[in-house]
Amino acid sequence: MKALKDNVRFAKVSRLTTNSSEKPKRLSAVRASNSRNALEETIDLYGVRNWGGEYFDVNPNGEVVLAFEATRGTPVSLKSIVDELRKRGISTPVVLRFPQLLDYQIKKLAGAFKSAIQEFDYQREYTPVYPIKVNQKKEIVQEILDFGERYNLGIEVGSKAELTVAMALSKNPESPIICNGVKDDAYLRLALLSRHMGRRVFVVLESLFELRLLLDLSKKLKVRPMIGLRLKLSARGSGKWEKSSGDLSKFGFTTTDLLKCIEILSGEGLSDCLALLHFHIGSQVTDIKRVKYAVKEAARTYAKLRKMCPSLDYLDVGGGLGLDYDGSKTASESSVNYSVQEYANDIVYSIKEVCENEDVREPIIITENGRMVAGPHAVLLFNVVNELSLSNGQIRVSNIETKPQVIQEMHDLYTRINGKNYREYYHDVVDQRDEMFSLFNLGYLSLEDRGLGQELFWGVCERAIKYAKMAKHMPEEFEDLERRLSRKFICNFSVFQSIPDSWAIDQLFPIVPIHRLDEAPDRTGYLADLTCDSDGKVDNFIDLRDVKESLELHALNGEPYYLGVFFTGAYQDVMGDYHNLFGQVHDAFVVVDGKGNCLITKIIPGHKIEGVLKVFGYERDELLSEFRGRVGEGVSREGLKPEWGSHLMREYEAALGSYTYLTLE
Ligand SMILES: *Cc1c(COP(=O)(O)O)cnc(C)c1O
């Protein structure tokens, strides 16, 4: 039913400006005659102020602007950044990265824990840890470590490869390195030997097998390890990752095995090596209740274990702090029903309460928040290439009386459909279309007649939907029909490379045109990417109360039309793949300085075709010489003129050196 309400609202926005076949007028022209500002209506339609909140806003020209702390007073528009990049030869698709947003998020997180600690008079400190799997790009990890230094921010790794990055980049000896994941001897040796240089490397174990491996190596290497144990809690997360926690979770010790661990450790005289308890209830936890339950259970376990092993001093509550992708502030999958401050308060307070009750010293608190820290800093931008639709607006037919009966009847339905008869006329046109196909198959209709019949059919459907939307309740058959009539916007990007979670787990991201928001969008449709894969599309969009199946967009007007996908900084970079050989997109780092100047500080060009081909074993020079061979054969066998041969060689070479996406000429 929600869709209905929105459609009504959308229809209202359209009516302000245009009959859908006309070019929409600038809203500023009609603003004076409308009590409600039309720009505001478009902003509402896309929910920019709901999800954009403290990060993004819209300026009076209808362009999305940066609105985070460092940019106050200088609302830089994303469109102006894209224009500047184009001048430098960098065209869409491109990912804009705002390192200041990484800083901002870290500050917000650490600030929230600082005030919770003060408010509840918590006796120990808090240390944020960045789980590197969320985004391993060097520039991003470096920025997070540099800015996080003041909070002794640490790194969490889940593999040997990630550990090698952490060991080299993390300079601060106070910062913890937390080693998760399944480990072999080599992984453990790296972790253990760094203890010799005084690093706080915690080896978090998940099985008794790993414990034995660790104890053997510690003896050999003469290291006293800092051991962490991962708990399998009975409390569950909420949202998409709910199954990754609870009794059946893939990770962690049961209570029985936990006690066996302690027994083994004290048998070896190493019970004072137990330093940390860890749990992680999954990502994007949508409901704060779940965090509270889990923390209480873990804090209780901590308190009881601490009485047996007084060296136990850290409680690591993992990640899970979510982002409000749809701006609804609810426990829906794309949102969270709590603030960062509430998250911090609940963790600090719950731990304090349990420790008081059990009369043990409070632990140092660690969180591993990746999505929250890295998510907002990146925006994917791409241009819409083309728009495809089954119906083409007004249908004009000359000499209708000369057409076959069935076509005349469809035309009659098309011209006479109205708000009272639309259901009946829609059913009639479905019958007429079937009749038309039968006649065609029997050879009684020309191709032209069939074409006209199809056009009229979709024309009737489109009008029927229009009337259905005006009705109090939109009949279900028309909702379905609308989906089928939905326009397709071909967009210059690959879902699989740039927003893999949209495809893999149906994650929603806010998607919005970054300009022209002062014009009411006058059409709706879904997005199709460049890949030849029917899954290469986006047909679910954020909405305050529901999920929308189509997005409101503007007609193409000859100028590039850019859409932004927001909050793509977490998980998307590393999960992306090379479907159809579309490679990594350009990265542009943007900073706003103290004087309000917007600076593009770094551009990392995306893959050239030769770069992607190399990933799959094709060397540029080899390809060139092979192709030169093909051209030579063309000249000698097929009569290819040598000058066309050289032209072809130049074109081929240029292609190898070009971007894998469509280029805006
Ligand atoms: C993935 C992961 C995280 C990050 O979770 P977010 O929800 O992105 O904050 C933290 N800890 C562990 C152990 C993880 O596997």
Side-chain angles (χ1 to χ4, degrees), residues 131 133-134 156 180 230 278 280 282-284 318-321 368-372 571:
K133 77 160 188 284
V134 174
E156 185 263 351
N180 275 312
R230 181 156 179 173
H278 179 281
H280 174 61
S283 205
Q284 185 70 18
L321 174 51
E368 301 170 350
N369 303 115
R371 182 183 296 277
M372 178 272 183
Y571 298 106

Side-chain angles (χ1 to χ4, degrees), residues 599-658:
L599 308 169
I600 297 168
T601 53
K602 182 167 190 171
I603 293 172
I604 305 175
H607 270 134
K608 293 175 178 171
I609 289 178
E610 61 196 35
V612 177
L613 293 185
K614 205 175 155 80
V615 174
F616 294 93
Y618 303 95
E619 293 298 328
R620 176 178 189 274
D621 291 347
E622 213 175 293
L623 285 170
L624 273 175
S625 91
E626 286 286 340
F627 186 66
R628 194 170 292 117
R630 298 294 88 72
V631 172
E633 288 158 17
V635 173
S636 54
R637 284 196 224 140
E638 311 289 337
L640 173 68
K641 289 206 177 113
E643 67 260 36
W644 281 109
S646 352
H647 192 100
L648 193 49
M649 272 316 291
R650 282 198 303 277
E651 202 61 51
Y652 185 82
E653 197 170 349
L656 286 179
S658 69

Side-chain angles (χ1 to χ4, degrees), residues 393-464:
Q394 199 68 32
I395 305 166
R396 287 195 188 82
V397 195
S398 45
N399 303 331
I400 187 70
E401 63 288 349
T402 66
K403 305 285 177 199
Q405 178 72 19
V406 63
I407 302 294
Q408 290 193 28
E409 279 174 24
M410 286 170 100
H411 184 258
D412 198 44
L413 294 172
Y414 176 70
T415 49
R416 296 201 0 235
I417 189 167
N418 62 35
K420 285 199 180 114
N421 64 21
Y422 71 93
R423 277 192 95 162
E424 185 191 335
Y425 275 34
Y426 166 66
H427 297 147
D428 288 351
V429 85
V430 172
D431 292 342
Q432 297 289 357
R433 184 189 56 164
D434 291 346
E435 164 102 11
M436 173 188 79
F437 284 146
S438 309
L439 290 170
F440 178 78
N441 289 342
L442 292 169
Y444 294 117
L445 288 189
S446 69
L447 261 182
E448 284 79 8
D449 291 337
R450 179 182 156 139
L452 178 58
Q454 261 170 342
E455 231 185 310
L456 287 167
F457 171 74
W458 288 115
V460 173
C461 293
E462 199 167 46
R463 291 186 171 178

Side-chain angles (χ1 to χ4, degrees), residues 334-360:
S334 310
S335 186
V336 283
N337 69 356
Y338 54 91
S339 67
V340 177
Q341 189 61 61
E342 187 178 352
Y343 172 81
N345 287 350
D346 283 348
I347 290 172
V348 173
Y349 181 79
S350 304
I351 298 175
K352 184 183 169 79
E353 198 186 24
V354 172
C355 290
E356 246 170 33
N357 179 270
E358 294 272 352
D359 197 23
V360 298

